[in-house]
Structures are given as structure tokens and as C-alpha cells.
């Protein structure tokens, strides 16, 4: 099944029109996301092309293998049916006359119809192609000018007002499929062919300005960006869509802008811009709109504004906006945290702010019971990414806390001294408390490192490890287990005699009593007396 699409977004409609080789044509409502109308007048025959009227959004034309071009309203009412001697492969509405449509037929002829009359006969029939005509396209800038692409490998330029072919473009070695007029430079035409190439033409003298060889199969479709007329997209049987720029063809215009030349040297009328020998000039609606805006501006910094506006006009999407945001920041303007700017190149003064904002956004998932949603990063993945941003920003404590939340205590404790020794001590104490609550003996080194002798004695006592508890109490009395913050300051006194803390002495006596009691209840009276005797000593 093949598809032919035409998109329209206007004040009264926001729909896509599509045609298929098997199932007729239909309208999609973009807002509702569903088909709202089907057109079945071609029956079981293939539809090759569908075209929406440029001037009247109520009218849609289709043509197909049944040899008909059918004009209808969007409500489905048929206005006119034009019978051809063979299959009709292309149709296109005039951009200047809402009642005029051209068709391309398998018999090699181009026909022009005028639907305001009741006649079903064409007003004009243009002959000259030696094989079927696949596409026809009216010029968006020059009234009465249209082109046609054929399986004979040529493109013909027709002047409706003169009833004549005014040029034949030769160079393709295969059937011509894609055709696209440039909406700003009247003499510029782009074509795509089964010979895998895209060609750029100057229709005034038939010269091929450029040939593109990047596609690996037949080139079928060509279109131009609606607000950036030098950006072109192509599609091919090689399963790729490629984006191109024609900006090198108008370098002189860009230089004139930089040199502060008058807009009259850059923007002209379609008639003047089409004259033989004239270097490229802009003549489309987009450039005229820019000119109108610029002429209303005050004289303050008008050149910078002009460069800004035309840089987006000449450039492909995705780059020029970022450049001018940087210029604004350099000039002292405060930037909002727009997604476009944060994804592009940022001013060095904004790097940390935007990265911190990114980390904060990643951490928001912690407050959601359901994570970030299907198809997105998991909670752990987002927190890990946030932690990596924080450590690069020098937010060591935030990194440690996220590592703790992810269960990666080793990483947190390894860098915690970078915050302070006091923070490392508190973090280690938290680790020890967790391990104690889970009855893990791995808590012992953490308690020793932080000088938590009392907690360690309590832990061993609760688990019946009385000998270990007594050992820890004795070591604490000897001063070998001390908090790290006072380890250096609490050295032995000047006389070389260490005075144990009274609390540790009490703990030692308590451990000795408990051990003696345990020996006694176990029937080891001698061991019980020895334990009590060692305490008295």
C-alpha cells in the first residue's frame, strides 16, 4: 500500500489528507487523532496523488489509475470529475487561482482545468513528454508557470499564459519523481529521480546548479521547510529522510546583510528576481513579511535585529536560535531556563545553574510513587544520573546522600571526607546503626573507626558475645578506640600515663560482672571467680 499525504493547518481546519493504492482517500483530524472522512469515488482503483486547494481549504482533489481527477469538498460532495484517456499520476492546485488545477497523465500530457465552469474539458493540454507524467507543480511565485516531471527523464517548464513549453531540463538518467519549487527564489527548482540523484535547477537557462548523490535508491519526495525556505527534506526508497540546505547558493545575500546593504538589494519582486542574469534575490512571502517587520523597527540596534531574524531564515533549525541566545547573554540579558537553550551550547556563567536544574529535575522522581513513567528511566537510573551531575558540580554531600539512597555506601563513605571529617563520622555512624539493626557483624569496623565503643559493647552484649564485649571495653579503657575528631587532641598526658574515661571503666566492670555471672550459671565456678578477680585487680 502506498500513501500520498498533504497537510493543512488553517483557521478552520487542522487535518491531514491521505490517499492509498487500495483503500481510497481519507481525512485525519489532527486534534482528535482519528479519521473523520473517507473518499471512495475511485472505487477499487489506486489513488496516486491527493492535493489540497491552496486558496480554499474546503476543496480536495484526487487522481488515480481509473483515469479520473476528482474534485470534492471536504464534506465529500463531488464538484467535478475529469476523465483522462489513461491513469492520472499527479495533480496540483494553482497557488494563485483557487479554481485552476493541473494534472499529469500516463499519456505524457499535462492538462489544466478550470472548475468554475461546468465543462469537463481541459482549458489547456501541454504536449511534449515522450513518457508518462508523474508529477506537476505550479510555481508559488510566478503566476501561470508550472513544471512537470516525466518517466522520459526530463522536466518541462510550461507557461500557461503563452501556451508553451519555455524550457526543458535534461540531466536525469531515470524517471523523475520528486519536484519542489523554492518558495523564495523564483527560478530555483529541485527534482528527484530514480537515478538516485537530486538536482537543483536554474529554470531560466536550464542549467543544473548542483547534483546530490547521497541517496542510495530512488528519490520520491521533496519538500521545503515552511519558515526556513533554504532548508529542504528528501525521502527515498533507501528508507531515509535527509535534510539539506541551499544556503551556499545565496551567500551573496548573507554578505549583503552583514555589510548593512539596503533590503532592496536583497528582497525584490518575483518578476525582477526571475530576470535572466540577475543574481539570486528573495521574492517570497516569508522574506516580505520579515521586511515589513524590520521597516517598523526603531533605529536602535536595528542591524543586530535584522541579522537575528534573517539568520533563522537562512539557517536550518536547531542552531541559529542558540547563537542569538548566547549573544543576548553576552549583552547582559537574563535568560530563562528554556529547554532549547539548556540543550544547546550554554554560556559559561550558566553551566552550573542549568546542570543543577537538570539534576533537580532528575530527583523529582523520588516524590512519585509510580516512578517516571513507562518507557523512561527507572528511579535508580535517574538518581544515579543526578548523582553524577552533583559530583561534577562539586556538590559532594548531595552526591553522598544519593549514593546512600541507592545503597552504594562504599562510594558515599569514600568521598564523604571531601565534605568534612565531621560529616564522614555522622555518615559512618548511620551505616553502623543500619548494620546493627540488621544484626550484621560488618558494623564492627564502622563503630571502631568512629569511636563508638559503647554501642559496640552493647551490640556484643545483646548478642551474648560477652568476651568480645569485655575486650572492646578493655581496649576503650586503654585509649585505642577514640572518636576521630579528638584522636589527635586526646593524646597521653605529659607523664605518659593514660587516664581512662570513667564511663569506659564502668563498662569494663559491667562486662566483667556479666561474664562472671555467665560462667557461674554455666557451672564454671573457677572461671567465674577468676573473672571477678581480674576485675578487682
Amino acid at each position: 500500500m502506498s500513501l500520498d499525504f498533504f497537510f493543512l493547518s488553517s483557521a478552520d481546519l487542522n487535518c491531514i489528507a491521505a490517499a492509498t493504492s487500495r483503500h481510497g482517500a481519507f481525512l485525519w483530524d489532527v486534534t482528535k487523532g482519528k479519521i473523520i472522512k473517507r473518499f471512495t469515488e475511485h472505487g477499487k482503483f489506486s489513488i496516486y496523488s491527493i492535493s489540497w486547494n491552496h486558496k480554499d481549504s474546503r476543496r480536495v482533489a484526487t487522481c488515480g489509475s481509473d483515469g479520473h481527477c476528482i474534485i470534492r469538498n471536504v464534506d465529500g460532495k463531488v464538484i467535478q470529475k475529469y476523465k483522462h484517456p489513461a491513469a492520472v499520476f499527479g495533480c496540483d492546485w494553482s497557488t494563485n487561482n483557487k479554481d485552476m488545477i493541473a494534472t499529469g497523465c500516463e499519456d505524457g500530457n499535462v492538462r489544466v482545468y478550470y472548475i468554475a465552469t461546468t465543462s469537463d474539458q481541459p482549458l489547456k493540454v501541454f504536449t511534449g513528454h515522450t513518457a508518462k507524467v508523474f508529477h506537476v507543480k505550479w510555481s508559488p511565485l510566478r503566476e501561470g508557470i508550472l513544471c512537470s516531471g516525466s518517466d522520459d527523464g526530463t522536466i518541462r517548464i510550461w507557461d500557461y499564459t503563452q501556451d508553451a513549453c519555455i524550457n526543458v531540463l535534461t540531466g536525469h538518467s531515470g524517471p523523475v519523481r520528486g519536484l519542489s519549487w523554492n518558495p523564495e527564489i523564483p527560478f530555483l527548482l529541485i527534482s528527484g529521480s530514480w537515478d538516485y540523484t537530486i538536482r537543483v535547477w536554474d529554470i531560466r537557462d536550464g542549467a543544473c546548479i548542483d547534483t546530490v548523490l547521497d541517496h542510495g535508491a530512488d528519490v520520491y519526495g521533496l519538500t521545503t521547510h515552511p519558515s526556513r525556505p533554504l532548508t529542504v527534506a528528501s525521502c527515498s526508497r533507501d528508507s531515509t529522510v535527509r535534510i539539506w540546505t541551499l544556503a551556499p547558493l545565496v551567500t551573496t545575500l548573507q554578505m549583503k546583510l552583514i555589510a548593512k546593504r539596503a533590503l532592496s538589494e536583497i528582497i525584490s519582486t518575483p518578476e525582477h528576481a526571475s530576470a535572466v542574469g540577475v543574481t539570486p534575490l528573495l521574492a517570497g512571502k516569508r522574506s516580505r513579511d520579515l521586511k515589513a517587520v524590520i521597516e517598523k523597527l526603531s533605529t536602535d540596534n536595528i542591524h543586530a535585529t535584522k541579522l537575528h531574524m534573517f539568520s533563522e531564515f537562512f539557517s536550518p533549525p536547531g542552531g541559529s536560535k542558540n547563537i542569538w541566545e548566547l549573544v543576548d547573554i553576552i549583552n547582559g540579558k537574563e535568560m530563562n531556563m528554556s529547554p532549547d537553550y539548556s540543550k544547546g551550547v550554554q554560556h559559561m556563567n550558566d553551566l552550573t545553574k542549568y546542570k543543577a536544574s537538570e539534576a533537580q529535575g532528575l530527583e523529582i522522581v523520588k516524590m512519585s510513587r509510580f516512578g517516571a513513567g513507562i518507557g523512561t528511566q527507572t528511579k535508580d537510573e535517574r538518581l544515579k544520573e543526578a548523582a553524577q551531575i552533583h559530583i561534577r558540580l562539586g556538590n559532594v554531600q548531595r552526591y553522598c546522600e544519593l549514593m546512600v539512597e541507592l545503597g552504594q555506601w562504599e562510594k558515599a563513605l569514600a568521598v564523604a571526607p571531601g565534605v568534612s571529617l565531621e560529616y564522614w563520622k555522622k555518615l559512618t555512624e548511620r551505616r553502623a546503626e543500619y548494620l546493627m539493626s540488621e544484626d550484621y557483624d560488618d558494623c564492627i569496623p564502622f563503630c571502631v573507626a568512629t569511636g563508638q565503643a559503647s554501642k559496640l559493647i552493647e551490640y556484643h552484649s545483646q548478642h551474648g558475645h560477652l568476651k568480645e564485649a569485655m575486650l572492646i571495653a578493655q581496649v576503650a579503657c586503654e585509649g585505642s578506640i577514640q572518636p576521630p575528631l579528638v584522636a589527635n587532641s586526646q593524646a597521653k598526658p605529659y607523664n605518659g600515663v593514660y587516664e581512662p574515661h570513667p564511663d569506659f571503666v564502668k563498662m569494663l566492670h559491667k562486662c566483667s560482672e556479666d561474664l562472671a555471672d555467665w560462667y557461674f550459671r554455666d557451672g564454671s565456678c573457677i572461671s567465674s571467680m577468676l573473672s571477678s578477680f581480674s576485675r578487682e585487680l
Side-chain angles (χ1 to χ4, degrees):
M1 180 178 70
S2 64
L3 289 171
D4 188 54
F5 288 94
F6 190 92
F7 178 73
L8 176 73
S9 179
S10 64
D12 55 340
L13 286 174
N14 189 18
C15 296
I16 296 174
T20 76
S21 61
R22 296 181 182 177
H23 304 291
F26 40 89
L27 298 182
W28 267 306
D29 187 303
V30 175
T31 305
K32 297 178 181 178
K34 65 179 183 180
I35 295 173
I36 58 173
K37 192 68 179 178
R38 289 186 180 273
F39 305 129
T40 59
E41 295 84 4
H42 291 277
K44 295 182 179 180
F45 292 92
S46 299
I47 297 177
Y48 294 125
S49 182
I50 186 166
S51 180
W52 216 313
N53 195 302
H54 302 282
K55 296 288 187 178
D56 185 350
S57 59
R58 298 171 301 170
R59 295 176 179 176
V60 179
T62 57
C63 57
S65 60
D66 61 350
H68 282 95
C69 176
I70 300 176
I71 314 297
R72 64 180 66 76
N73 287 330
V74 292
D75 61 7
K77 179 183 177 180
V78 174
I79 300 173
Q80 192 64 267
K81 294 178 71 172
Y82 296 117
K83 176 64 177 174
H84 293 65
V88 187
F89 290 96
C91 61
D92 188 47
W93 292 94
S94 169
T95 54
N96 298 298
N97 190 323
K98 67 182 181 66
D99 293 321
M100 193 171 290
I101 189 169
T103 63
C105 184
E106 190 172 18
D107 66 359
N109 293 334
V110 174
R111 292 172 173 83
V112 178
Y113 294 90
Y114 191 67
I115 67 171
T117 66
T118 57
S119 172
D120 61 357
Q121 298 301 308
L123 287 180
K124 302 284 177 65
V125 178
F126 296 118
T127 62
H129 283 297
T130 58
K132 73 181 181 187
V133 176
F134 194 82
H135 264 321
V136 288
K137 290 289 180 182
W138 290 91
S139 169
L141 298 175
R142 298 177 62 192
E143 188 169 359
I145 301 297
L146 70 154
C147 66
S148 58
S150 169
D151 279 16
D152 63 12
T154 68
I155 302 154
R156 288 181 174 259
I157 311 299
W158 311 92
D159 187 336
Y160 173 83
T161 62
Q162 297 181 18
D163 294 343
C165 174
I166 58 176
N167 218 328
V168 180
L169 311 180
T170 59
H172 282 299
S173 59
V176 178
R177 287 295 180 261
L179 288 174
S180 179
W181 291 95
N182 186 270
E184 283 290 339
I185 304 173
F187 60 78
L188 214 57
L189 178 67
I190 308 172
S191 63
S193 169
W194 277 11
D195 63 9
Y196 302 5
T197 69
I198 297 171
R199 289 178 179 263
V200 183
W201 307 89
D202 183 337
I203 68 163
R204 296 174 299 183
D205 57 7
C208 179
I209 301 172
D210 196 9
T211 303
V212 179
L213 306 170
D214 295 59
H215 276 299
D218 313 340
V219 180
Y220 267 84
L222 295 162
T223 190
T224 301
H225 193 284
S227 61
R228 300 174 186 262
L230 299 176
T231 301
V232 178
S234 61
C235 63
S236 164
R237 200 189 291 270
D238 65 9
S239 302
T240 67
V241 173
R242 299 178 183 240
I243 311 298
W244 316 90
T245 179
L246 301 176
L249 300 179
V250 293
T251 302
T252 55
L253 296 182
Q254 298 178 66
M255 293 300 102
K256 288 179 180 179
L257 280 167
I258 295 172
K260 300 184 179 182
R261 303 291 284 272
L263 286 179
S264 58
E265 297 184 39
I266 300 166
I267 302 172
S268 185
T269 63
E271 293 73 21
H272 178 248
S274 302
V276 176
V278 174
T279 56
L281 291 170
L282 305 177
K285 181 180 184 302
R286 178 67 175 159
S287 61
R288 293 197 305 272
D289 290 344
L290 287 178
K291 182 180 179 182
V293 171
I294 291 170
E295 288 175 343
K296 293 179 181 178
L297 295 175
S298 63
T299 55
D300 296 339
N301 209 23
I302 189 172
H303 183 60
T305 304
K306 185 191 303 184
L307 290 176
H308 186 170
M309 295 173 67
F310 273 98
S311 68
E312 295 185 4
F313 176 90
F314 285 121
S315 304
S320 61
K321 187 174 186 294
N322 189 200
I323 292 173
W324 289 101
E325 286 173 335
L326 290 173
V327 170
D328 287 339
I329 291 171
I330 292 170
N331 289 332
K333 181 180 178 181
E334 186 71 23
M335 287 299 299
N336 295 322
M337 291 190 181
S338 66
D340 291 338
Y341 176 62
S342 60
K343 292 177 182 178
V345 177
Q346 298 168 19
H347 192 275
M348 60 182 182
N349 294 341
D350 292 327
L351 287 176
T352 56
K353 178 176 66 175
Y354 277 88
K355 292 306 289 186
S357 175
E358 181 183 346
Q360 184 179 9
L362 289 166
E363 290 185 62
I364 289 176
V365 72
K366 290 196 303 180
M367 295 181 285
S368 172
R369 292 177 54 196
F370 307 103
I374 297 174
T376 60
Q377 291 175 300
T378 65
K379 176 181 177 180
D380 284 359
E381 288 172 340
R382 289 171 66 88
L383 293 182
K384 185 175 181 181
E385 186 176 343
Q388 294 302 320
I389 294 174
H390 280 302
I391 196 63
R392 286 169 172 79
L393 292 172
N395 301 333
V396 181
Q397 185 169 343
R398 191 74 200 113
Y399 170 82
C400 292
E401 293 298 328
L402 288 174
M403 287 295 101
V404 167
E405 188 164 348
L406 291 167
Q408 298 185 25
W409 282 91
E410 294 80 4
K411 292 182 179 179
L413 291 170
V415 301
V419 181
S420 68
L421 197 56
E422 178 67 26
Y423 176 72
W424 171 84
K425 180 176 178 291
K426 290 180 179 179
L427 199 61
T428 306
E429 289 173 353
R430 285 164 56 187
R431 181 59 173 160
E433 289 174 1
Y434 170 77
L435 292 171
M436 284 180 177
S437 68
E438 298 293 325
D439 290 338
Y440 290 145
D441 285 350
D442 287 344
C443 67
I444 297 172
F446 295 102
C447 289
V448 172
T450 53
Q452 298 183 86
S454 58
K455 284 192 176 182
L456 195 51
I457 292 169
E458 182 182 357
Y459 173 77
H460 281 307
S461 298
Q462 288 177 348
H463 288 76
H465 305 152
L466 300 179
K467 291 182 180 180
E468 285 82 356
M470 188 170 177
L471 174 63
I472 295 298
Q474 179 62 38
V475 171
C477 286
E478 294 175 358
S480 297
I481 299 180
Q482 298 182 44
L485 293 178
V486 296
N488 294 329
S489 60
Q490 195 174 342
K492 291 184 178 180
Y494 64 91
N495 60 2
V497 178
Y498 177 79
E499 293 294 332
H501 195 282
D503 290 344
F504 291 155
V505 175
K506 291 180 182 179
M507 289 181 184
L508 179 60
H509 287 179
K510 179 67 169 59
C511 289
S512 179
E513 290 175 357
D514 291 343
L515 184 60
D517 184 61
W518 182 83
Y519 278 131
F520 181 79
R521 286 187 283 107
D522 194 47
S524 301
C525 296
I526 295 176
S527 297
S528 176
M529 288 188 293
L530 290 173
S531 179
S532 298
F533 180 70
S534 67
R535 182 183 73 240
E536 296 300 328
L537 290 175

